[in-house]
Amino acid sequence: MRILVTGASGLLGLNLALEACPEHTVFGQAHSQRLNTSQFEIYQADLLVPGVIERLIDRTQPDWVIHCAAMANLDACEADPERAKQLNSEVPAKLASVVARGGARLLHVSTDAVFDGQHGDYSEDDTPHPLSTYAHTKLEGERAVKEANPAALIARVNLYGWSLSGRRSLGEFFFNNLSAGRQVMGFTDVYFCPLLANDLAHIFLKMLSARLTGLYHVVSSECTSKLTFGQLIARTFGFDERLVIPTSVNQAGLKATRSPHLTLRSDKIAQALGESLPGIASGLERFYVLYLQGYPNYIRQIGTQAIGHSGNQAIG
Ligand SMILES: NC(=O)c1ccc[n+]([C@@H]2O[C@H](COP(=O)([O-])OP(=O)(O)OC[C@H]3O[C@@H](n4cnc5c(N)ncnc54)[C@H](OP(=O)(O)O)[C@@H]3O)[C@@H](O)[C@H]2O)c1
């Protein structure tokens, strides 16, 4: 398949593009970050510029578009709600209609944060109730995609992994601090079901092969508190787990409101694919094995401009 990955410099997009390219022809779109790899074709493009989405689809002629580009930092969304709306709601709407017109298929990436997290155990039939600007704009994006392109696939996710900056995911946050012997807060009252980006990438590829449509929760089959997640990272990497200090999220002084119980059911996707999704321990084990294999450095070098691969094609 020819797969266009938007946001290919981001945490999910880069891992996804790298996991997909051995089997597929991959085109990766990045924006401000220049990428340095020959593994897939890179297109430099600002999706907010009128006409760019059309030109990107025209140039790459994809069978599938996996839309990972977004404004995914919650506090940045609170600080600039207009840009959050453009990137998280309006760009997905435009992309969905352009993709539908051209005959390709779209997998749009959304978030577990569309729920307020008051009770947890959410299925795809539960009514979302977003709390933050990020969550509001992402939910609006889902609705706009569904309206413009009813055959689109929409995945609500939560993920961690190794990123270009080395600082993008919660897994890296715990790794960076614990490996340096620094204490970190571990929230006792925030629950989630995180998947390793590399595992999520393979599940996405299976979803494309199965030609699924509609809304799916694509999260780990197990859920945990952020405290326990930090302690498990410490244990997996051999760090001192007492450095993870049990803390309430209310004591952390975060700008955007966080939903406390973001535990989502993944049985719909498990049934559709005929397999259950990875649990927390297996994801962390792979996170550790990737570390031992030097994957974090490999990923970071892709963001290093000094080693001159200049194959980035600009679309403006
Ligand atoms: N990370 C999580 O824990 C998490 C949880 C739930 C859902 N999600 C969802 O998963 C998806 C991927 O998130 P992520 O964590 O991988 O995000 P990320 O690391 O912040 O990456 C965002 C991507 O969007 C690109 N981008 C930003 N502005 C753009 C613009 N104007 N035009 C084109 N591209 C632009 C960025 O490009 P440059 O960097 O090159 O500028 C980057 O590649 C998002 O839909 C997010 O809402 C993430």
Side-chain angles (χ1 to χ4, degrees), residues 71-239:
M71 190 159 168
N73 179 306
L74 272 71
D75 293 336
C77 290
E78 293 305 320
D80 192 347
E82 185 49 39
R83 191 171 171 85
K85 183 173 164 223
Q86 289 171 351
L87 271 164
N88 295 341
S89 310
E90 294 170 10
V91 164
K94 178 77 187 169
L95 185 63
S97 66
V98 172
V99 168
R101 272 204 308 274
R105 299 281 319 276
L106 174 68
L107 192 172
H108 171 65
V109 182
S110 188
T111 174
D112 55 353
V114 295
F115 294 109
D116 60 17
Q118 290 310 303
H119 58 81
D121 203 33
Y122 295 104
S123 81
E124 289 80 353
D125 296 327
D126 284 308
T127 306
H129 181 224
L131 298 181
S132 64
T133 300
Y134 168 70
H136 272 284
T137 56
K138 289 294 291 185
L139 180 61
E140 200 40 54
E142 279 186 15
R143 289 180 175 150
V145 164
K146 194 175 167 195
E147 192 180 311
N149 187 338
L153 189 47
I154 300 173
R156 291 182 181 148
V157 304
N158 190 293
L159 65 138
Y160 66 98
W162 299 109
S163 70
L164 213 62
S165 67
R167 294 189 307 274
R168 182 64 192 89
S169 81
L170 186 64
E172 292 173 309
F173 166 80
F174 281 120
F175 171 83
N176 293 338
N177 284 294
L178 298 175
S179 62
R182 285 192 293 268
Q183 287 189 342
V184 282
M185 293 186 280
F187 299 142
T188 51
D189 44 6
V190 179
Y191 291 82
F192 68 149
C193 323
L195 270 178
L196 182 69
N198 309 72
D199 288 338
L200 180 56
H202 284 282
I203 297 159
F204 275 1
L205 295 173
K206 288 179 190 170
M207 292 169 76
L208 308 193
S209 295
R211 301 193 65 77
L212 302 181
T213 61
L215 176 65
Y216 288 88
H217 290 175
V218 189
V219 295
S220 171
S221 55
E222 294 170 333
C223 302
T224 187
S225 71
K226 295 208 169 173
L227 169 69
T228 305
F229 186 67
Q231 290 169 331
L232 286 171
I233 289 190
R235 223 171 288 164
T236 306
F237 283 81
F239 304 138

Side-chain angles (χ1 to χ4, degrees), residues 7 9-12 29 31-33 46-47 134 138 157 168:
S9 46
L11 170 64
L12 176 56
Q29 170 270 322
H31 173 224
S32 54
Q33 178 70 52
D46 181 349
L47 298 180
Y134 168 70
K138 289 294 291 185
V157 304
R168 182 64 192 89

